[in-house]
Amino acid sequence: SQKIEQNSEALNIQEGKTATLTCNYTNYSPAYLQWYRQDPGRGPVFLLLIRENEKEKRKERLKVTFDTTLKQSLFHITASQPADSATYLCALLHMNYGGSQGNLIFGKGTKLSVKP
Amino acid sequence: DSGVTQTPKHLITATGQRVTLRCSPRSGDLSVYWYQQSLDQGLQFLIQYYNGEERAKGNILERFSAQQFPDLHSELNLSSLELGDSALYFCASSVEAGGMLTDTQYFGPGTRLTVL
């Protein structure tokens, strides 16, 4: 069956450290993968998109890698700050049969807590 | 602020009832997406409309329906409500369907539905 899983429900780290979140998928061949941030009671906010032919993408303190052989994406936040505390969701594009339409499949998220 | 608006913010109703959730996309966005988020299921794609027409369908129940109007706002109708329908319902919008290959979705603040 098709699954998208994020490594843990919660991750606690110390301020200044690098947070690494994992997203694994099975039985999908996504054209791209996205990462979102979601704060309690609010809608997800888009952070980064990485395509299947890209190994790595960076944006300020954020870095995403995409390994289609391992079927895994890693999301890194360097020099983490308490303001980075939130739930982070990965999402992949799932194309329907025939490849004409698609929709995003989301993982359940990892709740990151950065302690001062 | 994503530019996507949703009303109402909260909705409390009884089992068996029918409700309508409303979404206004960002100015210029033609695609509207509906998602359901519950604690156990995570964020689930329901349905997408592009310029008034249904574009893609996810795990949407037959009791649920949606439409997109000429002014591009969208409504999600939920009928014969059950306790299990209690969830956060998000609307998102994007510029175009475009195969969704590079589409960023902008999420609204959500409607919290409680079925008693």
Side-chain angles (χ1 to χ4, degrees), chain A residues 25 30 51-55 66-72:
Chain A
Y25 59 93
R51 296 184 181 83
E52 58 180 337
N53 59 349
E54 297 175 318
K55 296 290 186 192
F66 193 9
D67 188 327
T68 55
T69 301
L70 290 178
K71 295 186 181 296
Q72 180 181 80

Side-chain angles (χ1 to χ4, degrees), chain A residues 32-38 43-51 57 59 62 64 75 88-89 91 104 106, chain B residues 2 93 101-107:
Chain A
Y32 66 68
L33 197 142
Q34 298 182 344
W35 284 87
Y36 287 78
R37 169 184 172 139
Q38 186 174 23
V45 176
F46 170 79
L47 295 174
L48 279 168
L49 178 153
I50 186 165
R51 296 184 181 83
K57 204 87 170 276
K59 179 183 174 184
L62 309 180
V64 173
F75 177 78
Y88 292 86
L89 307 172
L104 285 179
F106 282 83
Chain B
S2 66
S93 73
L101 288 178
T102 57
D103 247 5
T104 295
Q105 294 186 22
Y106 296 88
F107 282 77

Side-chain angles (χ1 to χ4, degrees), chain B residues 20-40:
Chain B
T20 297
L21 313 183
R22 184 189 166 101
C23 167
S24 292
R26 292 188 323 153
S27 177
D29 284 359
L30 298 179
S31 270
V32 169
Y33 311 78
W34 286 99
Y35 292 87
Q36 179 192 59
Q37 188 174 40
S38 58
L39 282 174
D40 56 341

Side-chain angles (χ1 to χ4, degrees), chain B residues 85-105:
Chain B
D85 297 327
S86 296
L88 268 169
Y89 290 85
F90 288 105
C91 165
S93 73
S94 67
V95 172
E96 56 180 350
M100 298 178 67
L101 288 178
T102 57
D103 247 5
T104 295
Q105 294 186 22

